[in-house]
């Protein structure tokens, strides 16, 4: 069996999207750091709008440099919000809300940061506008504050991953809180990164290598394939669900309290991704991975 998700290293829990009084968040940076640290997180990035924070190692807690840049006027040009995390120097972008989105991504990467597309569902992004972008390390499959009661119901961008993957573009799944209010949306949705150690270099390398998944609580224990089936082991959950470009197939849902499932890859499948849903409705999302392809991961 071939491993689709690395599980042999240590797991580190992080939120790479949140705001403070440095932009439109409601609390001081140190208070936000304290809330996440006390909730058991290992790393965060303070990503205030157009204000870049600095990387800082605090014993067993890591602050990655972060910022959120936006472009688009919502009428004539599409809206993109791009998160940068782990930059090693200031990103060179003058304040302007009409930069081409690729220019923002390139500027983040020029500063050795990782670039993430935030909340496509909230942004009402046309999925085709994303297909040609280069250099994204991940896309938010879930953004807590984009859901009720803080916004309309646009927290979940998972359908975008299926639209993209059906066209052959496999973006990696991330989840983040995008905390602003700290009245319940914080410490909910995160990534779990399988890395050697809790340093900026190790976390960034693990993210670049795809050694992470998105969660709100459920855990993947293993995710493997032999090319014919996909086997999942997880924490005890209500359901394990396999999504693919095949719009209908038997046995894609395993439910009723399960901690493992075996999915038989359909002849028409070109990619598969897996969601776990626990008894309270909390979810975990694997990234989509290619099947029936010489380039299968
Ligand atoms: Zn945003
Ligand atoms: Zn934000």
């Amino acid at each position: 069996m071939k491993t689709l998700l690395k599980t042999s290293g240590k797991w580190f829990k992080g939120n790479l999207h949140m705001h403070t009084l440095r932009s439109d968040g409601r609390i001081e940076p140190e208070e936000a750091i304290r809330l996440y640290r006390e909730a058991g997180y290992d790393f965060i990035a303070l990503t205030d709008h157009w204000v870049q924070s600095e990387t800082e190692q605090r014993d067993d807690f890591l602050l990655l440099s972060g910022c959120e840049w936006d472009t688009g006027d919502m009428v004539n040009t599409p809206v993109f919000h791009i998160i940068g995390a782990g930059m090693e120097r200031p990103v060179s972008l003058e304040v302007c809300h009409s930069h081409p989105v690729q220019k923002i991504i390139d500027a983040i990467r020029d500063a050795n940061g990782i670039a993430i597309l935030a909340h496509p569902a909230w942004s009402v992004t046309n999925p085709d506008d994303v297909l040609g972008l280069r250099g994204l390390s991940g896309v938010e499959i879930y953004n807590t504050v984009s859901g009720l009661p803080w916004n309309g119901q646009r927290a979940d961008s998972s359908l975008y991953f299926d639209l993209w993957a059906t066209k052959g573009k496999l973006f990696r799944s991330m989840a983040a809180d995008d905390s602003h209010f700290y009245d319940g949306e914080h410490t909910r949705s995160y990534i779990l990164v399988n890395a050697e150690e809790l340093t900026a270099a190790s976390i960034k390398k693990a993210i670049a290598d795809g050694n992470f998944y998105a969660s709100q609580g459920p855990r993947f224990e293993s995710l493997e394939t032999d090319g014919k089936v996909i086997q999942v082991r997880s924490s005890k959950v209500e359901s394990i669900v396999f999504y693919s470009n095949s719009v209908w197939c038997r046995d894609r849902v395993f439910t009723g309290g399960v901690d493992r499932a075996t999915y038989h890859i359909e002849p028409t499948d070109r990619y598969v991704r897996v969601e776990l849903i626990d008894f309270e409705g909390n979810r975990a999302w694997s990234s989509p991975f290619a099947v029936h392809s010489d380039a299968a991961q």
Side-chain angles (χ1 to χ4, degrees), residues 10 25 28 43 52-53 69 102-103 111 162 165 168 173 177 195 209 211 223 239 246 253 270 282:
K10 294 186 196 134
E28 293 283 355
F43 67 94
Q52 187 173 332
S53 63
W69 291 273
Q102 189 63 55
K103 179 180 174 180
D162 295 317
S173 311
D177 291 326
D209 291 344
N211 298 330
L223 181 52
S239 303
S246 304
V253 179
R270 290 298 175 268
N282 298 306

Side-chain angles (χ1 to χ4, degrees), residues 234 237-241 253-258 275-279:
S234 69
V237 291
E238 170 78 35
S239 303
I240 301 176
V241 187
V253 179
F254 300 78
T255 195
V258 289
E275 285 190 20
L276 312 175
I277 306 165
D278 74 12
F279 300 92

